[in-house]
Amino acid sequence: MGVFVCRDNINLITNHRRSMGQRQAKQHMQAGVKLYHQRHYAQAINKWRQSLNRLNNAEDRFITLGYLAQALCDQGEYEGMLSYALSQMQLATDQNDSAMKCEAFLNLAKAYERLADFTKALQYGKASLEHPSMDPRTPGYAHLTIALAHLGMSQFQQCLESFESAMNVANETSDRLLELQICVGLGSLFTLLRDITKALIFLRNALAIVQSVTVDDVHAKYRCLILYHLSVALRMKGSLVDAKEACDEASQLAVEMGNRAIHARCMCSLADIYRELGESEAKETITKSWARYEDAYRVMRGANDKMGEVLVLSSMAKSASESRSHYTGQCECQAIQLNKKCIEIANQIGCKHVVLKCHLRLAELYSQLNDDDSEETARRAASRLTQEMQLFCNFCGQRYGLKDESLQALRCSHIFHEKCLHTYLLQRTDQNCPKCRCRAVLSDNISIRSSIASTADVQSPSTSFAPPGGVATPLVSAAAELGDITPQATLTRRPHQDKILRGAEKDIDRVDRSLARLKSQQATPGNSCSAVAVPSPEVPSTTTSGGSEPIPSTSTAPIQNQSTANHKPPPPPRKPCCSQAALPPSSIVALPPAMPLAEDGPLVITHTPTVTDV
């Protein structure tokens, strides 16, 4: 009898110790959330890793894995993020939990999108939409990730469609953080398409929305992201001083947050700004600006950030193409090599827009060398990519994306010159899209007013939060549940931020008046099935005057000659001054070793599951 009593006592003690261990592990998990929002990121990650090794409950383990994945994403450690997302997927599969699978698929999609594996990002994003979610906002983040993947692959129509679907979810659920990220994505899209006015409006509205985010580190994270994209758009607009101020603050915030990816992008953007300012005004030599590119490229290589590598190489290639006399002593060899290296990596990830810009630069370089065959090959490649990406207006036949022009999207997500679309809606009663022949209705969800909070709306109730473990904002959710995290009472604006926000008012009013004029033409219903009779042009065999690229051919639009009044005459042709062989890729910049993860690294699954594996 005494033996059985002793065994029972041992079992009770063992169960009590296990229970105590689980409570301590959950306390570690909650302590990690507090540390993270106090910007003690390394300590928070260590706490979560310790609790992950001791937790037995599947749901608690899934939530902790979500915290770790989000934390590494915020720091630009995308391979570590992928490892934890794969662990989430394995756990969800073991539990056969559809809601867990939905969140795990979304984390996988986000990780692959950051790693520029856009095909897998699209697959996992769509798989997330096929499973029921724990929160109605989760599909909105899946649509957002799909939109960013399409943007990375330069599929602009599909990108707009996914942004519109994400905005539908943001409007239905009043999720301000989702709306903010959509604004940033649309700002990036219109920056690529060179509609800088719309890009600045979306980004300035995102900057206004972020003022309602009360958790300090989340506010800093999104403010850092917005200011980086603002610096790019302002530089392209020509506001170099404002661009430098925004980039400096974004870089400082990125360092404080430990986000290597954004910090490296800021270094590249700052080098672009200094390059355009010139040595006298920037008070920085071109050599120092070039060193910024090299430092940024090293960081991108260390983080395996392929899209970041492409962005930096594209800027380096442009800088070398424009300043050949400084870098290579009147030699085009390094500029050509950099453009080819950029094309190689961009083709690997499917970024057609960057490939297009490189081919255009190569065509100009070959023109200087009197290499007619290579120039023709580059121009043909540029014309083909223009057709594939549909970077032309069907009404006038002209390319867009070469200069700052106002664009407008229809509900079918096809994009045209705003002035051409305005003229078309004024003149025709059968208002159909000339590309897909659907009813020509202006897109409402991604218009300037309908989907973006005005400055008055920023004072509305605070951001809604997702549940614990949700991929959308898991750390913000945990902060909301832990009542002892002090919110940021007042948000201090930098002097240049007020100037940036004030500048949005004028742009918004101007675009709103234009949208109102366009929508007023749709009051009279037309035949939605009738086709648009537009003459079919012949494919041009030569380039337009002034050395510009060939006009893309299309079966639905006439071709007009581009204006060449502002084109500068090219310098006299010359032969290359060297005959050396192509440099190896490692000679462009020194490649550092991969950065090791911290101790107690993430769980690694050797087999990467596909959609059909789960």
Side-chain angles (χ1 to χ4, degrees), residues 56-196:
N56 294 327
N57 182 270
E59 183 177 353
D60 290 338
R61 289 180 59 82
F62 188 86
I63 292 173
T64 306
L65 288 169
Y67 290 161
L68 287 165
Q70 185 65 52
L72 294 182
C73 177
D74 292 342
Q75 294 190 338
E77 297 283 354
Y78 301 135
E79 289 186 332
M81 175 193 181
L82 175 61
S83 178
Y84 285 118
L86 290 171
S87 298
Q88 272 193 319
M89 190 73 257
Q90 187 181 55
L91 181 58
T93 304
D94 293 341
Q95 297 295 315
N96 196 22
D97 189 312
S98 295
M100 283 186 178
K101 287 182 181 180
C102 175
E103 300 289 341
F105 274 130
L106 181 51
N107 256 340
L108 283 172
K110 291 174 63 178
Y112 280 120
E113 188 272 325
R114 298 299 196 281
L115 289 169
D117 193 340
F118 300 122
T119 302
K120 288 185 179 179
L122 291 174
Q123 291 175 352
Y124 287 121
K126 293 174 182 177
S128 176
L129 293 173
E130 295 173 358
H131 289 76
S133 61
M134 294 185 295
D135 186 277
R137 289 166 285 226
T138 302
Y141 287 89
H143 285 299
L144 173 64
T145 305
I146 291 172
L148 295 175
H150 282 305
L151 182 60
M153 300 176 72
S154 306
Q155 298 172 344
F156 301 123
Q157 179 185 350
Q158 297 92 324
C159 173
L160 277 174
E161 291 173 355
S162 297
F163 274 134
E164 181 146 353
S165 299
M167 188 63 78
N168 284 331
V169 177
N171 291 336
E172 292 170 1
T173 59
S174 301
D175 190 339
R176 303 296 299 283
L177 284 181
L178 176 57
E179 185 179 4
L180 182 152
Q181 294 175 70
I182 296 170
C183 289
V184 175
L186 288 169
S188 178
L189 168 64
F190 282 107
T191 299
L192 283 179
L193 297 178
R194 297 300 292 267
D195 186 350
I196 307 301

Side-chain angles (χ1 to χ4, degrees), residues 8 49 73 78 183 231 242 302 355 360 430 465 500 506 517 543 558:
D8 290 339
R49 284 173 173 164
C73 177
Y78 301 135
C183 289
S231 72
D242 291 339
V355 176
L360 291 175
D430 52 340
F465 302 110
I500 292 173
K506 182 178 178 181
R517 287 196 302 270
T543 59

Side-chain angles (χ1 to χ4, degrees), residues 494-546:
R494 303 294 177 93
H496 76 277
Q497 180 188 349
D498 292 324
K499 180 168 59 176
I500 292 173
L501 291 175
R502 286 196 302 269
E505 230 176 83
K506 182 178 178 181
D507 292 334
I508 291 176
D509 292 338
R510 183 181 68 80
V511 176
D512 277 348
R513 287 195 299 270
S514 177
L515 289 174
R517 287 196 302 270
L518 289 173
K519 290 184 179 180
S520 66
Q521 306 306 320
Q522 301 175 1
T524 304
N527 184 7
S528 61
C529 298
S530 59
V532 180
V534 184
S536 176
E538 295 182 357
V539 178
S541 59
T542 59
T543 59
T544 57
S545 59

Side-chain angles (χ1 to χ4, degrees), residues 376 379-384 386-387 392 396-399 535-545 548-562:
E376 180 64 20
R379 292 198 183 279
R380 287 184 181 275
S383 180
R384 174 180 53 81
T386 301
Q387 291 281 351
F392 54 89
C396 66
Q398 298 295 309
R399 252 210 68 179
S536 176
E538 295 182 357
V539 178
S541 59
T542 59
T543 59
T544 57
S545 59
S548 59
E549 65 174 293
I551 301 297
S553 61
T554 171
S555 60
T556 58
I559 291 183
Q560 300 175 359
N561 289 332
Q562 293 180 345

